[in-house]
Amino acid sequence: MSVGLSEYLILAVILFVIGLTGVIRRKNLLMLFFATEIMLNAANVALAALSSYMGDLTGQMFALFIIAIAASEVAVGLGLLILVYKKYGTLDLDDLNLLKG
Amino acid sequence: MEAIAFYVFGILITALFLVTVFSKNVLYAMSALAAGMVLISGLYFVLGADFLGAVQLVVYSGAIMALYAFGMMFFDATRDIKEKNQAPLAVFLLSGLSALILVVIFAAPQIGHNVRALLATPKGMDNPHAIGAVLFTKYLIPFEVAAVMLLVAMIAGIVLASKKMEVSLSESDDYLVEEHEMKEQK
């Protein structure tokens, strides 16, 4: 009973779809950030599994750069979230619709 | 042994991320996300990607979750989030369709039989050593660009989160001193 590449890829897809469902379903901006982190992690799992099973380090390199990008995204995004919360007092997307069409 | 580790980690990660996505409380969601990140690093160790597992532990479950916990200070975290879902059927259909597309995308390396390693793992090195050897030869320029990007993000975070950036500290000190002197004169 050994684990192949398919199991890792299936796990990555499951995690990615969980994150995607969160992005579609949630209305709170902070929750959207959490769901984005889940999607990034799912992509990292797939890249690391492919790198390990194909004997190629490129996947792990890309996973490292994705982690760096996620760190900077959180730094900037959290600053923007704090500004939005200070200005409007809420993080709910339904209350932040300023354009009335 | 590897299979047991994989299934235990996989089931736990899935359950924790489901809690993150469906929880009504921000604190519960953040704790579940942090625990899931730690378990994902376990998955990397099982895969033999030791360096990536260590980076995941330090950066994700250390730095990023600490940053979220710090940002939670500004928000009201104890209150439950009230959300109303307007189109549950659309959510269901969109998630299902995306899942189908994703399965096709992720199955592509399985179907393609003549996939070869473009940059084979260096022989006779352990994982962190090999990562260093590849990172500082082939991926040196992306590494430097990532460093500059992190610097830009740090400056942007400081500018966005701090208040009264338009008043420099020395000027405000002078202003305070002048005000103090005016009060004394009166």
Side-chain angles (χ1 to χ4, degrees):
Chain A
M1 185 175 162
S2 67
V3 184
L5 181 55
S6 323
E7 279 88 345
Y8 279 100
L9 292 184
I10 289 169
L11 177 67
V13 169
I14 290 172
L15 294 183
F16 194 90
V17 170
I18 289 175
L20 194 68
T21 314
V23 168
I24 296 175
R25 188 178 166 275
R26 299 313 293 256
K27 294 287 173 57
N28 190 293
L29 270 174
L30 203 58
M31 289 306 199
L32 287 184
F33 267 74
F34 288 166
T36 317
E37 299 294 329
I38 293 175
M39 286 162 73
L40 286 170
N41 266 290
N44 274 350
V45 169
L47 283 172
L50 277 171
S51 148
S52 173
Y53 277 91
M54 296 282 172
D56 191 337
L57 272 182
T58 309
Q60 294 184 31
M61 289 298 141
F62 272 86
L64 281 178
F65 289 125
I66 287 178
I67 289 179
I69 289 172
S72 46
E73 171 244 331
V74 167
V76 177
L78 213 57
L80 287 174
L81 277 195
I82 289 170
L83 280 191
V84 167
Y85 191 75
K86 270 183 191 165
K87 186 163 184 188
Y88 297 108
T90 178
L91 285 179
D92 201 325
L93 284 177
D94 283 336
D95 299 337
L96 290 175
N97 49 354
L98 297 177
L99 288 176
K100 302 283 185 198
Chain B
M1 192 62 199
E2 193 199 338
I4 298 171
F6 171 75
Y7 284 113
V8 168
F9 281 139
I11 292 169
L12 280 176
I13 290 167
T14 312
L16 282 168
F17 282 174
L18 278 175
V19 169
T20 303
V21 166
F22 290 108
S23 165
K24 283 213 180 307
N25 194 323
V26 179
L27 277 180
Y28 289 166
M30 199 194 63
S31 314
L33 187 64
M37 302 283 186
V38 173
L39 289 175
I40 278 187
S41 84
L43 216 54
Y44 291 153
F45 286 124
V46 172
L47 276 171
D50 299 344
F51 187 75
L52 195 57
V55 167
Q56 170 89 8
L57 269 183
V58 171
V59 175
Y60 254 119
S61 31
I64 292 185
M65 295 322 290
L67 205 56
Y68 274 128
F70 177 73
M72 209 71 80
M73 207 169 67
F74 294 93
F75 312 127
D76 187 8
T78 52
R79 192 177 50 192
D80 274 3
I81 301 165
K82 289 191 204 65
E83 290 170 328
K84 52 178 188 295
N85 289 308
Q86 280 144 350
L89 185 68
V91 170
F92 181 74
L93 278 180
L94 280 175
S95 304
L97 267 181
S98 333
L100 196 67
I101 295 169
L102 276 169
V103 168
V104 171
I105 292 172
F106 277 78
Q110 299 288 92
I111 297 166
H113 286 295
N114 54 352
V115 177
R116 277 195 325 276
L118 199 62
L119 185 74
T121 310
K123 293 278 186 297
M125 296 178 180
D126 45 358
N127 180 262
H129 197 167
I131 291 253
V134 175
L135 185 62
F136 288 105
T137 52
K138 191 167 190 285
Y139 290 98
L140 185 58
I141 292 176
F143 179 74
E144 302 285 351
V145 172
V148 173
M149 187 190 64
L150 280 172
L151 177 68
V152 170
M154 185 187 79
I155 295 171
I158 293 171
V159 169
L160 286 175
S162 64
K163 43 191 171 182
K164 288 188 184 169
M165 282 297 282
E166 69 273 9
V167 183
S168 81
L169 283 175
S170 53
E171 279 176 23
S172 64
D173 275 346
D174 287 345
Y175 176 70
L176 283 177
V177 168
E178 279 174 11
E179 208 175 41
H180 190 66
E181 284 173 353
M182 294 221 338
K183 275 182 189 168
E184 276 188 350
Q185 282 174 358
K186 282 178 188 173

Coordinates of all heavy atoms in Angstrom, one line a residue, chain B residues 131-177:
Chain B
I131 N 18.5 22.2 -3.0 CA 17.7 23.5 -3.2 C 18.6 24.7 -3.3 O 18.5 25.5 -4.2 CB 16.7 23.7 -2.0 CG1 15.7 22.6 -2.0 CG2 16.1 25.0 -2.0 CD1 14.3 23.1 -2.4
G132 N 19.6 24.7 -2.4 CA 20.6 25.9 -2.4 C 21.3 25.9 -3.7 O 21.5 26.9 -4.3
A133 N 21.8 24.7 -4.2 CA 22.6 24.6 -5.4 C 21.7 25.1 -6.6 O 22.2 25.8 -7.5 CB 23.1 23.2 -5.6
V134 N 20.4 24.7 -6.6 CA 19.6 25.1 -7.8 C 19.2 26.6 -7.6 O 19.2 27.4 -8.6 CB 18.4 24.2 -7.9 CG1 17.5 24.7 -9.0 CG2 18.8 22.8 -8.2
L135 N 18.9 27.0 -6.4 CA 18.3 28.4 -6.2 C 19.3 29.4 -6.6 O 19.0 30.5 -7.1 CB 17.9 28.5 -4.7 CG 17.2 29.8 -4.4 CD1 15.9 30.0 -5.1 CD2 16.9 29.8 -2.9
F136 N 20.6 29.2 -6.2 CA 21.6 30.2 -6.5 C 22.3 30.1 -7.8 O 23.3 30.7 -8.0 CB 22.6 30.3 -5.3 CG 22.0 30.8 -4.1 CD1 21.6 30.0 -3.0 CD2 21.7 32.2 -4.0 CE1 21.0 30.5 -1.9 CE2 21.1 32.7 -2.9 CZ 20.8 31.9 -1.8
T137 N 21.8 29.2 -8.6 CA 22.4 29.1 -10.0 C 21.3 29.5 -11.0 O 21.4 30.5 -11.7 CB 23.0 27.7 -10.3 OG1 22.0 26.8 -10.0 CG2 24.2 27.4 -9.5
K138 N 20.3 28.6 -11.1 CA 19.3 28.8 -12.2 C 18.3 29.8 -11.8 O 17.8 30.5 -12.7 CB 18.6 27.4 -12.5 CG 17.8 27.4 -13.7 CD 17.4 26.0 -14.1 CE 16.8 26.0 -15.5 NZ 15.5 26.4 -15.5
Y139 N 17.9 29.9 -10.5 CA 16.9 30.8 -10.1 C 17.4 32.0 -9.3 O 16.7 32.5 -8.4 CB 15.8 30.0 -9.3 CG 15.1 29.0 -10.1 CD1 15.4 27.7 -10.1 CD2 14.0 29.5 -10.8 CE1 14.7 26.8 -10.9 CE2 13.3 28.6 -11.6 CZ 13.7 27.3 -11.6 OH 13.0 26.4 -12.4
L140 N 18.6 32.5 -9.7 CA 19.2 33.6 -8.9 C 18.4 34.9 -9.1 O 18.1 35.6 -8.2 CB 20.6 33.8 -9.3 CG 21.4 34.8 -8.5 CD1 21.3 34.4 -7.0 CD2 22.8 34.9 -8.9
I141 N 18.0 35.2 -10.4 CA 17.4 36.4 -10.7 C 16.0 36.5 -10.1 O 15.6 37.5 -9.5 CB 17.4 36.7 -12.2 CG1 18.8 37.0 -12.6 CG2 16.5 37.9 -12.6 CD1 19.0 37.1 -14.1
P142 N 15.1 35.4 -10.2 CA 13.9 35.4 -9.5 C 14.0 35.5 -8.0 O 13.2 36.2 -7.4 CB 13.2 34.0 -9.9 CG 13.9 33.7 -11.2 CD 15.2 34.2 -11.1
F143 N 15.1 35.0 -7.5 CA 15.3 35.1 -6.0 C 15.5 36.6 -5.7 O 14.9 37.1 -4.7 CB 16.5 34.3 -5.7 CG 16.9 34.3 -4.2 CD1 16.2 33.6 -3.3 CD2 18.0 35.0 -3.8 CE1 16.5 33.7 -2.0 CE2 18.4 35.1 -2.5 CZ 17.6 34.4 -1.6
E144 N 16.3 37.3 -6.5 CA 16.6 38.7 -6.2 C 15.3 39.5 -6.4 O 15.0 40.4 -5.6 CB 17.7 39.2 -7.1 CG 19.0 38.5 -7.0 CD 19.7 38.9 -5.7 OE1 19.3 39.8 -5.0 OE2 20.7 38.2 -5.4
V145 N 14.6 39.2 -7.4 CA 13.3 39.9 -7.7 C 12.3 39.7 -6.5 O 11.6 40.7 -6.1 CB 12.7 39.5 -9.0 CG1 11.3 40.1 -9.2 CG2 13.6 40.0 -10.1
A146 N 12.3 38.5 -6.0 CA 11.4 38.2 -4.9 C 11.8 39.0 -3.6 O 11.0 39.5 -2.9 CB 11.4 36.7 -4.6
A147 N 13.2 39.2 -3.5 CA 13.7 40.0 -2.3 C 13.2 41.4 -2.4 O 12.7 42.0 -1.5 CB 15.2 39.9 -2.3
V148 N 13.3 42.0 -3.7 CA 12.9 43.4 -3.9 C 11.4 43.5 -3.6 O 10.9 44.4 -3.0 CB 13.3 43.8 -5.3 CG1 12.7 45.2 -5.6 CG2 14.8 43.9 -5.4
M149 N 10.6 42.4 -4.1 CA 9.2 42.5 -3.9 C 8.8 42.5 -2.4 O 7.9 43.2 -2.0 CB 8.5 41.3 -4.6 CG 7.1 41.3 -4.7 SD 6.4 39.8 -5.3 CE 7.0 38.7 -4.0
L150 N 9.5 41.7 -1.6 CA 9.2 41.6 -0.2 C 9.5 43.0 0.4 O 8.8 43.4 1.3 CB 10.1 40.5 0.5 CG 9.5 39.1 0.3 CD1 10.5 38.1 0.8 CD2 8.2 39.0 1.0
L151 N 10.6 43.7 0.0 CA 10.9 45.0 0.5 C 9.8 46.0 0.2 O 9.3 46.7 1.0 CB 12.2 45.5 -0.1 CG 12.7 46.9 0.3 CD1 13.0 46.9 1.8 CD2 13.8 47.3 -0.5
V152 N 9.3 45.9 -1.1 CA 8.2 46.8 -1.5 C 7.0 46.5 -0.7 O 6.3 47.4 -0.2 CB 7.9 46.6 -3.0 CG1 6.6 47.4 -3.4 CG2 9.1 47.1 -3.8
A153 N 6.7 45.2 -0.4 CA 5.5 44.9 0.4 C 5.7 45.4 1.8 O 4.7 45.8 2.4 CB 5.3 43.4 0.3
M154 N 6.9 45.3 2.3 CA 7.1 45.8 3.7 C 6.8 47.3 3.8 O 6.1 47.7 4.7 CB 8.5 45.4 4.1 CG 8.8 45.8 5.6 SD 10.5 45.6 6.0 CE 11.2 47.1 5.3
I155 N 7.4 48.0 2.8 CA 7.1 49.5 2.9 C 5.7 49.8 2.7 O 5.1 50.6 3.4 CB 8.0 50.2 1.8 CG1 9.5 50.0 2.1 CG2 7.7 51.6 1.7 CD1 10.4 50.4 1.0
A156 N 5.0 49.1 1.8 CA 3.6 49.3 1.6 C 2.8 49.0 2.8 O 1.9 49.7 3.2 CB 3.1 48.4 0.4
G157 N 3.1 47.9 3.5 CA 2.4 47.6 4.8 C 2.6 48.6 5.8 O 1.6 49.0 6.5
I158 N 3.8 49.2 6.0 CA 4.1 50.2 7.0 C 3.3 51.5 6.6 O 2.6 52.1 7.5 CB 5.6 50.6 7.0 CG1 6.4 49.4 7.6 CG2 5.8 51.8 7.9 CD1 7.8 49.6 7.5
V159 N 3.3 51.9 5.3 CA 2.6 53.1 4.9 C 1.1 52.9 5.1 O 0.4 53.8 5.6 CB 2.9 53.4 3.4 CG1 2.0 54.5 2.9 CG2 4.3 53.9 3.3
L160 N 0.5 51.7 4.8 CA -0.9 51.6 4.8 C -1.4 51.5 6.3 O -2.5 52.0 6.6 CB -1.3 50.3 4.1 CG -1.3 50.4 2.6 CD1 -1.6 49.1 1.9 CD2 -2.2 51.5 2.1
A161 N -0.7 50.8 7.1 CA -1.2 50.5 8.5 C -0.9 51.6 9.5 O -1.7 51.7 10.4 CB -0.6 49.2 9.0
S162 N 0.1 52.4 9.3 CA 0.4 53.4 10.3 C -0.4 54.6 10.0 O -0.8 54.9 8.8 CB 1.9 53.7 10.2 OG 2.2 54.3 9.0
K163 N -0.7 55.4 11.0 CA -1.5 56.6 10.8 C -0.6 57.8 10.8 O 0.4 57.9 11.4 CB -2.6 56.7 11.8 CG -2.1 56.4 13.2 CD -3.3 56.3 14.2 CE -2.8 55.7 15.5 NZ -3.9 55.5 16.4
K164 N -1.1 58.9 10.2 CA -0.5 60.2 10.1 C 0.9 60.0 9.5 O 1.9 60.5 10.1 CB -0.4 60.8 11.5 CG -1.7 61.3 12.0 CD -1.6 62.1 13.3 CE -2.9 62.5 13.8 NZ -2.9 63.0 15.1
M165 N 1.0 59.4 8.3 CA 2.3 59.4 7.7 C 2.7 60.7 7.0 O 3.8 60.9 6.7 CB 2.3 58.3 6.6 CG 2.4 56.9 7.2 SD 4.0 56.6 8.0 CE 5.0 56.4 6.6
E166 N 1.7 61.6 6.8 CA 2.0 62.8 6.1 C 2.7 63.8 7.1 O 3.3 64.7 6.6 CB 0.7 63.4 5.6 CG -0.3 64.0 6.6 CD -1.2 62.9 7.1 OE1 -1.0 61.7 6.7 OE2 -2.2 63.2 7.8
V167 N 2.6 63.6 8.4 CA 3.3 64.5 9.3 C 4.6 63.7 9.8 O 4.5 62.6 10.3 CB 2.4 64.8 10.5 CG1 3.1 65.7 11.4 CG2 1.1 65.3 10.1
S168 N 5.7 64.3 9.5 CA 6.9 63.6 9.9 C 7.1 63.9 11.4 O 6.6 64.9 12.0 CB 8.1 64.1 9.2 OG 8.6 65.3 9.7
L169 N 7.9 63.0 12.1 CA 8.0 63.0 13.5 C 8.7 64.3 14.0 O 8.3 64.9 15.0 CB 8.7 61.8 14.0 CG 7.9 60.5 14.1 CD1 8.7 59.3 14.4 CD2 6.7 60.7 15.0
S170 N 9.7 64.7 13.2 CA 10.5 65.9 13.7 C 9.6 67.1 13.6 O 9.6 68.0 14.5 CB 11.7 66.0 12.8 OG 11.4 66.0 11.4
E171 N 8.8 67.2 12.5 CA 7.9 68.4 12.4 C 6.9 68.4 13.5 O 6.7 69.5 14.1 CB 7.2 68.3 11.1 CG 8.0 68.8 9.9 CD 7.2 68.6 8.6 OE1 6.0 68.6 8.7 OE2 7.8 68.5 7.6
S172 N 6.3 67.3 13.9 CA 5.3 67.3 14.9 C 6.0 67.6 16.2 O 5.3 68.3 17.1 CB 4.6 65.9 15.0 OG 5.6 65.0 15.3
D173 N 7.2 67.2 16.4 CA 7.9 67.6 17.7 C 8.1 69.1 17.8 O 7.8 69.7 18.8 CB 9.3 66.9 17.7 CG 9.2 65.5 18.3 OD1 8.1 65.2 18.9 OD2 10.1 64.8 18.1
D174 N 8.5 69.7 16.6 CA 8.6 71.2 16.6 C 7.3 71.8 16.9 O 7.2 72.8 17.7 CB 9.2 71.6 15.2 CG 10.6 71.3 15.1 OD1 11.2 71.0 16.1 OD2 11.1 71.3 13.9
Y175 N 6.3 71.3 16.3 CA 4.9 71.9 16.5 C 4.5 71.8 18.0 O 4.0 72.8 18.6 CB 3.9 71.1 15.6 CG 2.5 71.5 15.8 CD1 2.1 72.7 15.3 CD2 1.6 70.7 16.4 CE1 0.8 73.1 15.5 CE2 0.3 71.0 16.6 CZ -0.1 72.3 16.1 OH -1.4 72.6 16.3
L176 N 4.8 70.7 18.6 CA 4.5 70.5 20.0 C 5.3 71.5 20.9 O 4.7 72.1 21.8 CB 4.8 69.1 20.5 CG 3.7 68.1 20.0 CD1 4.2 66.7 20.5 CD2 2.4 68.4 20.6
V177 N 6.6 71.7 20.5 CA 7.4 72.6 21.3 C 6.9 74.0 21.2 O 6.7 74.7 22.2 CB 8.9 72.5 20.8 CG1 9.7 73.6 21.4 CG2 9.4 71.2 21.2

